[in-house]
Amino acid sequence: MDKETFIEQLREIVRPYAKNQEALATINTSTDFINDLKINSANLVDVVLDVEEKYDIVIQNEEMERMLNVQAALDIVEAKLNEK
Amino acid sequence: MTKEEILQHLPYAPPFLFVDELEYIDEEKVTGIYTFHADMPCYKGHFKGLPVTPGVLLTEVMAQTGLACLGIYLLRDEIQEQLPTVAMTSAHIDFYLPVAPGETVKAQATKIYFRFNKLKCRVALYNTAGALVCDGTMAGMIINSKNE
């Protein structure tokens, strides 16, 4: 999966949870879910669950703890999809 | 873990303990009972001359039953003396009927998921007659020191 496609799909996943819609409009690999998009830690769990559903993968606790920005999400999802 | 032990692990005390007993609990669902005693101070001011149980307290009954009690049960192998620090993170509740002073209510909660330290439940509250008082969804999180 190419990076642009992933970022577009991720943008739609985080849209309901992102408090900062301006940061959402300019989302890129360095966008931080908590500091830039202002998603709280409880809603970040829902983001991760929605990512699991979208890509039909299972994310582990330690991966969840690392999944704090778009690049980390991309790395984790790509690795999971390659394992399939 | 018995239902009595779950109540002993709750991090609440009067006047902010809103579960009298647990009627049922398993990994997926829980039912708790609470009586709003007519001498509670909140009735003096909610409302002036017309005592009605505040919706936030109805919400609290559902949260203490559906999030705290069920959360303790789900974590029963990990917790020692007291529940780790918890926080309610969301509540979307619709209200249908008022609850008068002295009424006994029954809170029911069904787990939607428990993942990454977040417990999300479908919740409902019924009055003594068995009529639906309020329902909705709510979630809470365990706050670990590394999350701070």
Side-chain angles (χ1 to χ4, degrees):
Chain A
M1 181 176 46
D2 71 275
K3 195 169 74 179
E4 281 68 33
T5 306
F6 178 78
I7 290 177
E8 280 314 306
Q9 291 173 346
L10 190 62
R11 188 208 302 273
E12 295 315 308
I13 288 172
V14 301
R15 188 182 296 283
Y17 310 108
K19 275 285 145 202
N20 186 344
Q21 293 290 318
E22 285 174 26
L24 186 68
T26 59
I27 188 169
N28 58 71
T29 50
S30 63
T31 302
D32 186 284
F33 294 129
I34 291 169
N35 295 318
D36 296 327
L37 294 177
K38 307 296 181 195
I39 296 173
N40 70 18
S41 57
N43 283 336
L44 196 53
V45 172
D46 290 276
V47 169
V48 173
L49 296 182
D50 290 351
V51 166
E52 283 189 332
E53 191 177 5
K54 170 83 181 171
Y55 299 102
D56 191 25
I57 56 178
V58 177
I59 289 167
Q60 305 300 324
N61 283 335
E62 58 274 19
E63 293 163 333
M64 160 77 194
E65 286 167 19
R66 280 194 287 124
M67 216 168 121
L68 297 173
N69 57 60
V70 173
Q71 183 65 53
L74 176 62
D75 293 344
I76 289 164
V77 171
E78 271 190 333
K80 293 276 174 190
L81 291 177
N82 287 338
E83 282 172 20
K84 283 193 175 187
Chain B
M1 183 180 270
T2 66
K3 290 180 281 200
E4 291 70 29
E5 285 170 326
I6 294 169
L7 296 181
Q8 285 162 14
H9 280 81
L10 281 174
Y12 314 104
F16 221 80
L17 172 65
F18 290 103
V19 192
D20 289 333
E21 64 174 291
L22 290 180
E23 192 178 79
Y24 182 85
I25 191 160
D26 66 22
E27 296 269 338
E28 301 298 324
K29 57 186 184 293
V30 58
T31 306
I33 305 216
Y34 182 74
T35 299
F36 284 100
H37 292 284
D39 57 2
M40 284 173 57
C42 65
Y43 291 123
K44 291 196 184 82
H46 188 282
F47 299 97
K48 288 191 277 186
L50 179 67
V52 175
T53 308
V56 288
L57 297 186
L58 304 178
T59 304
E60 188 65 25
V61 174
M62 295 188 291
Q64 293 193 5
T65 303
L67 298 179
C69 289
L70 186 56
I72 289 168
Y73 185 74
L74 293 171
L75 290 170
R76 59 192 179 281
D77 294 333
E78 295 169 41
I79 50 178
Q80 302 294 323
E81 289 298 301
Q82 221 192 358
L83 186 66
T85 308
V86 292
M88 180 153 67
T89 57
S90 67
H92 303 277
I93 308 296
D94 292 309
F95 297 90
Y96 306 100
L97 289 175
V99 171
E103 276 199 65
T104 297
V105 294
K106 184 179 285 194
Q108 291 185 340
T110 308
K111 184 177 74 179
I112 298 172
Y113 65 72
F114 180 51
R115 293 284 309 276
F116 308 118
N117 284 338
K118 177 176 176 179
L119 175 61
K120 187 171 186 182
C121 284
R122 224 174 298 285
V123 293
L125 195 75
Y126 298 88
N127 64 17
T128 315
L132 181 65
V133 167
C134 53
D135 66 2
T137 57
M138 56 174 56
M141 279 198 88
I142 299 157
I143 314 296
N144 288 331
S145 52
K146 59 184 168 186
N147 288 353
E148 284 170 357

